[in-house]
Amino acid sequence: HFTPLRIGRALFIRPSWSRARPRRGQAEVVLDPGLSFGTGHHPTTEWCLRELVRLRKTGQAQAFLDIGTGSGILAIAAAKLGYRPVRALDVDAAAVRVARANARANNVASAVRILRADLSALPRRAVERFDVVCANLTTPLLLKERRRIVAHLKADGALVLAGILQSEFASVVRAYGELGLRLSRARRRNEWQSGTFVRRAAGGRAG
């Protein structure tokens, strides 16, 4: 049931057995479904991929961080789209092995650094900050570790959050609003709702 997926004009994702090919100008990611989450077809992963494409500023250096990388699809896509540097982490050792293998298969292993790391153990004052941060996690984790997640975001960066049930979305918006972020874009599909957040302007209110 894993069919090729086109994300706008910029990105094309297919399983290795598919003979479909990208259109001119599309970056290609080849990835087979496995034990690690992430083929691009789930509404939460697809949202993150579409935001990666939308947020990419051609010709500009943009750093990307993928928190909870699973199969590595977001990090690999980011590298293919030209994000540099690209960092990814997951607490699950098997996911890290799969993500690294997928990065090698897509010839971006040198551009993507994938680490095994527990989000709850990361410092609240990050040494390295990123232009775009994706966190496709469960809502309890997004809420509990929100300060650590936001700590990795540059002042003018974009935070893409997914893995949120529609019934939980308002609580996520409130929690991140308290940290100075406002909701700039959102999409609901089935029971899932995902959003992209940016820093609230001085004197403004969270949206």
Side-chain angles (χ1 to χ4, degrees):
H1 300 291
F2 181 19
T3 56
L5 178 66
R6 298 186 190 274
I7 305 293
R9 298 179 179 178
L11 190 62
F12 176 69
I13 300 164
R14 67 174 177 90
S16 60
W17 60 80
S18 172
R19 295 185 178 182
R21 290 296 177 261
R23 297 171 183 148
R24 181 174 296 181
Q26 281 185 323
E28 182 182 48
V29 175
V30 179
L31 189 143
D32 292 334
L35 295 177
S36 294
F37 177 80
T39 62
H41 289 75
H42 192 276
T44 60
T45 312
E46 184 193 352
W47 165 263
C48 294
L49 289 168
R50 292 191 181 280
E51 287 299 272
L52 273 179
V53 169
R54 185 185 70 85
L55 293 165
R56 180 71 184 109
K57 299 175 182 178
T58 305
Q60 295 187 30
Q62 288 175 282
F64 173 71
L65 174 64
D66 180 19
I67 302 175
T69 196
S71 69
I73 186 172
L74 299 182
I76 293 165
K80 293 274 188 172
L81 290 168
Y83 285 88
R84 296 290 190 279
V86 176
R87 304 285 184 263
L89 59 90
D90 203 293
V91 69
D92 184 76
V96 170
R97 287 194 298 271
V98 168
R100 287 173 176 169
N102 286 333
R104 289 192 298 271
N106 282 276
N107 300 312
V108 294
S110 62
V112 179
R113 186 181 180 193
I114 303 170
L115 302 173
R116 184 184 182 190
D118 185 346
L119 174 58
S120 65
L122 296 182
R124 291 195 176 186
R125 292 186 178 181
V127 175
E128 191 174 13
R129 292 175 181 261
F130 298 83
D131 299 282
V132 179
V133 175
C134 277
N136 189 359
L137 305 167
T138 64
T139 296
L141 194 54
L142 289 174
L143 293 176
K144 181 181 179 182
E145 303 302 343
R146 60 190 182 276
R147 287 179 174 80
R148 287 186 170 89
I149 293 171
V150 173
H152 289 81
L153 186 67
K154 288 184 178 180
D156 58 349
L159 176 62
V160 182
L161 299 182
I164 308 161
L165 292 172
Q166 179 188 345
S167 60
E168 302 168 332
F169 193 70
S171 64
V172 173
V173 173
R174 283 195 301 271
Y176 282 82
E178 292 170 358
L179 299 182
L181 276 72
R182 66 175 178 84
L183 179 66
S184 64
R185 290 170 61 88
R187 188 187 72 175
R188 185 179 69 194
R189 180 163 292 181
N190 302 329
E191 71 269 35
W192 304 97
Q193 190 161 2
S194 306
T196 297
F197 296 74
V198 296
R199 299 283 183 185
R200 187 170 60 236
R205 294 184 301 173

